[in-house]
Amino acid sequence: MTTSRMFLNLSPRSLPAAALSVMVLLGTSMTASADEADAKRLLKAMSDYLTAQQAIAFDYDAILEVVTKDDQKLALAGSGTVTLDRPDKILATRSSGFANVEMSFDGKTLTLLGKDLNIYAQEDVPGTVDHLVDELRKHNRPLPAADLLLTNPYEALMADVVDVKDLGSGVIGGVECDYLAFRAKEVDWQIWIAQGEHPYPCRYVISSKLMNGEPQYSIEIRDWKTGDAVAATDFSFTNPTDATKVDLKNLEGTDELPKHFQMGEAQ
């Protein structure tokens, strides 16, 4: 998984002794009750359900954690929407305290619109949404919940996984979910999957193991819709506000991090 690129360099810091003792007790109990085969089955069922949906739409709230050089952990919060029409159309928005961005893709052209600055950039990226996800990662502009939007989420999520746990259930936004945890070479990640006939992802959390302090990226999904419940959407950019076209590298105010945050180095 390449999501760890999103995280900042952190300095090591210790947890209070009480917190460590709780972690040890929980770890012992969880390991004893873990059911790897069942966890894989639940994740595969979610993947198959997602893949079977021609149209998907949802709202989300996301938090990207960063840690300063003096070990203060900060959480950058944002919200947005995603509308997907397989195999090659997507519209996504992201609003935070420092960016208000709309990304549209019609199977041929990617458009990034900085709404507050009324500027946009375009790039020809013909192909599927899977191909678009790869191209956006090259520009360090990942789609929200990108791994979950791919043609085969199970394959993408399970890459390099070395440990799997079924941790029972939890409730996200009033929805009862199956709670699963996975460990890979570069990241640990957790996912909460809605129980019942529509096993959609309710919450997805990724922790970087390559950064000191192991910052997290989390996304909580709400107002899930599929099929005919998804509103008709125009995925082509029409520039209704007379936005100024700029080069992609000059598209300021649309980055994942504000200017006064600087990307650090891995451990």
Side-chain angles (χ1 to χ4, degrees):
M1 298 174 65
T2 57
T3 319
S4 58
R5 297 175 188 168
M6 298 172 58
F7 296 101
L8 296 187
N9 184 32
L10 309 181
S11 300
R13 69 177 176 181
S14 349
L15 292 172
L20 287 173
S21 64
V22 171
M23 291 171 66
V24 171
L25 290 172
L26 286 175
T28 303
S29 172
M30 289 175 179
T31 302
S33 63
D35 185 341
E36 181 175 343
D38 198 44
K40 289 181 177 179
R41 177 186 61 79
L42 291 167
L43 186 70
K44 185 64 164 58
M46 180 202 74
S47 177
D48 291 346
Y49 167 75
L50 294 178
T51 301
Q53 308 310 311
Q54 172 67 32
I56 292 173
F58 58 86
D59 297 344
Y60 70 87
D61 298 309
I63 291 180
L64 174 66
E65 286 187 351
V66 299
V67 177
T68 66
K69 291 183 178 179
D70 58 354
D71 296 334
Q72 182 180 10
K73 183 170 282 190
L74 307 174
L76 306 181
S79 296
T81 63
V82 173
T83 302
L84 170 70
D85 188 0
R86 298 188 190 277
D88 59 359
K89 295 177 178 61
I90 191 166
L91 176 68
T93 67
R94 176 173 58 86
S95 179
S96 65
F98 50 87
N100 186 7
V101 187
E102 179 180 284
M103 188 218 73
S104 56
F105 177 65
D106 60 4
K108 297 179 181 179
T109 304
L110 165 68
T111 304
L112 291 170
L113 171 66
K115 291 185 175 181
D116 290 342
L117 299 176
N118 205 31
I119 58 175
Y120 75 100
Q122 290 185 312
E123 186 168 317
D124 291 332
V125 193
T128 64
V129 170
D130 286 33
H131 176 63
L132 176 68
V133 167
D134 290 337
E135 291 300 309
L136 286 170
R137 282 171 171 162
K138 292 177 184 177
H139 293 294
N140 198 31
R141 295 177 181 273
L143 273 169
D147 291 333
L148 304 175
L149 303 176
L150 299 175
T151 304
N152 189 343
Y154 184 84
E155 183 179 78
L157 292 168
M158 289 299 293
D160 298 323
V161 165
V162 296
D163 183 70
V164 181
K165 290 182 175 68
D166 178 357
L167 301 180
S169 64
V171 176
I172 304 293
V175 178
E176 188 166 4
C177 304
D178 292 308
Y179 173 30
L180 313 176
F182 300 79
R183 308 202 78 181
K185 291 174 61 178
E186 297 184 358
V187 297
D188 290 341
W189 57 278
Q190 306 165 68
I191 193 164
W192 287 255
I193 302 171
Q195 296 179 359
E197 297 180 2
H198 308 289
Y200 68 91
C202 293
R203 192 166 189 254
Y204 180 41
V205 178
I206 308 163
S207 303
S208 171
K209 296 197 288 188
L210 298 182
M211 301 293 176
N212 293 328
E214 298 191 0
Q216 293 185 340
Y217 173 77
S218 64
I219 182 166
E220 192 163 315
I221 291 172
R222 49 189 168 79
D223 199 19
W224 178 265
K225 295 184 178 72
T226 60
D228 293 339
V230 177
T233 302
D234 185 359
F235 296 92
S236 299
F237 180 64
T238 57
N239 196 10
T241 62
D242 274 336
T244 302
K245 188 173 184 179
V246 299
D247 190 85
L248 184 60
K249 64 183 179 182
N250 296 324
L251 197 63
E252 298 179 356
T254 65
D255 293 330
E256 188 71 28
L257 295 173
K259 284 185 175 181
H260 54 282
F261 286 84
Q262 294 183 352
M263 188 69 73
E265 297 177 357
Q267 299 184 68

